[in-house]
Amino acid sequence: MIHYLITIFVLTMIIHTAETLSYSLRYAGVKVNKIAVALSLTGIMVLVSRTANLVQAPLTAKFIDFARIDPTFNVLGYLRIILISASVGTFAGIILFPTFVNIWARVIAKLEIAGSLPRLISSVTITQLRNTKHYIKKPTFRLREFRYLGISKRFILLNIIVTAIYTVGVLASLYAAHLVPELSTMASQSSGLINGIATILLTIFIDPQVGLITDRAINHEAYRERLGKIYMALMVSRFLGTLAAQAILLPASYLICMVIKLI
């Protein structure tokens, strides 16, 4: 099962790196004043994330099936390793953020000239790919800079909670299927019980606030430089959320077990 674990580890890293780097695309759009183009390109990041997720979920379910054959198989340990990969992917996105801000700004400018994504892709040369090394930029972390960004601690905490719930949703439903094998089909399809809570919080509290922050940066020049630090704070809170997912994996699994037994 190790090869399955390695594959899932990599796919989960890709999912969380892509989702984290979506902030770099938004920021690049603000910097070059092409936020509409940037938001449309965000669909690429979502496509990469969802494509990886289509493969990741069935492979993860393989662990539950194997545990039925081998009762000594450490399902929980494997799931926790997958959660570690979510943290690694998010951390990679944080490290790559300043580099991808530069890269996406260049892509947006090139897209405006090319007129379409297929033309843009076909116009890319080996020399241009080699020149991407000039866009590499190291991230800087100064904790004192995050004190006066105009975002509340409650908002950051909420982002941690929502990220934790989203990160653990599918894995909690699969582990619930392991805990109650007689209701395994129902349990494996019950990730919505967990993710539904996160979706409500995200839609009502997180997305509108991020939209307001971005819009404020578009309309106020002085706020644009601060926007990068705000996005960095949000990404760090996402990272903390993936770590918090380790703590809520078991409670979320038991919650699903309790609910499906009542249905």
Side-chain angles (χ1 to χ4, degrees):
M1 300 300 291
I2 295 297
H3 63 287
Y4 278 105
L5 181 61
I6 294 172
T7 302
I8 296 168
F9 194 99
V10 172
L11 289 173
T12 305
M13 277 183 58
I14 292 172
I15 292 169
H16 286 268
T17 301
E19 290 178 353
T20 305
L21 285 175
S22 65
Y23 286 111
S24 68
L25 184 47
R26 291 185 185 186
Y27 187 39
V30 171
K31 291 188 73 172
V32 299
N33 204 26
K34 299 290 181 182
I35 189 63
V37 178
L39 291 177
S40 67
L41 287 175
T42 303
I44 298 174
M45 311 293 285
V46 175
L47 180 62
V48 170
S49 174
R50 289 180 178 175
T51 301
N53 195 51
L54 285 174
V55 181
Q56 181 238 35
L59 288 177
T60 307
K62 183 78 174 179
F63 295 147
I64 309 303
D65 293 334
F66 186 77
R68 293 175 185 171
I69 302 172
D70 183 5
T72 63
F73 181 69
N74 186 11
V75 178
L76 184 60
Y78 273 61
L79 296 182
R80 291 200 181 281
I81 292 174
I82 295 172
L83 288 178
I84 291 173
S85 69
S87 300
V88 172
T90 304
F91 186 75
I94 295 172
I95 297 299
L96 293 172
F97 174 75
T99 298
F100 268 82
V101 169
N102 294 334
I103 291 175
W104 282 121
R106 185 63 175 168
V107 168
I108 291 171
K110 286 284 188 179
L111 180 60
E112 192 173 16
I113 297 172
S116 68
L117 196 57
R119 286 182 182 177
L120 173 64
I121 295 173
S122 62
S123 67
V124 176
T125 64
I126 299 298
T127 302
Q128 289 175 332
L129 291 176
R130 288 175 179 171
N131 287 337
T132 55
K133 64 185 179 182
H134 300 299
Y135 300 114
I136 296 175
K137 184 178 179 181
K138 294 180 180 180
T140 56
F141 299 96
R142 297 183 181 91
L143 293 178
R144 63 179 181 274
E145 293 182 355
F146 294 96
R147 294 179 182 177
Y148 309 104
L149 295 180
I151 50 176
S152 66
K153 294 178 181 178
R154 182 186 302 175
F155 178 66
I156 294 296
L157 179 60
L158 191 59
N159 198 42
I160 293 173
I161 293 171
V162 170
T163 302
I165 295 173
Y166 260 127
T167 303
V168 85
V170 173
L171 298 182
S173 66
L174 289 175
Y175 192 62
H178 173 68
L179 294 174
V180 283
E182 68 278 8
L183 297 172
S184 60
T185 302
M186 182 184 293
S188 63
Q189 299 299 314
S190 299
S191 60
L193 294 173
I194 302 298
N195 287 344
I197 300 172
T199 301
I200 293 171
L201 294 174
L202 183 68
T203 304
I204 296 176
F205 298 107
I206 303 296
D207 280 348
Q209 188 71 22
V210 174
L212 287 171
I213 290 170
T214 305
D215 187 62
R216 197 180 304 163
I218 293 173
N219 296 316
H220 298 86
E221 185 71 29
Y223 198 78
R224 293 193 180 187
E225 288 302 319
R226 193 190 304 177
L227 182 64
K229 297 181 179 66
I230 291 174
Y231 280 160
M232 184 65 73
L234 291 175
M235 288 186 294
V236 171
S237 69
R238 280 182 60 90
F239 174 70
L240 295 176
T242 61
L243 296 178
Q246 296 277 0
I248 69 170
L249 174 59
L250 282 179
S253 301
Y254 287 123
L255 175 63
I256 290 175
C257 292
M258 183 179 67
V259 172
I260 62 175
K261 287 178 180 179
L262 294 174
I263 296 176

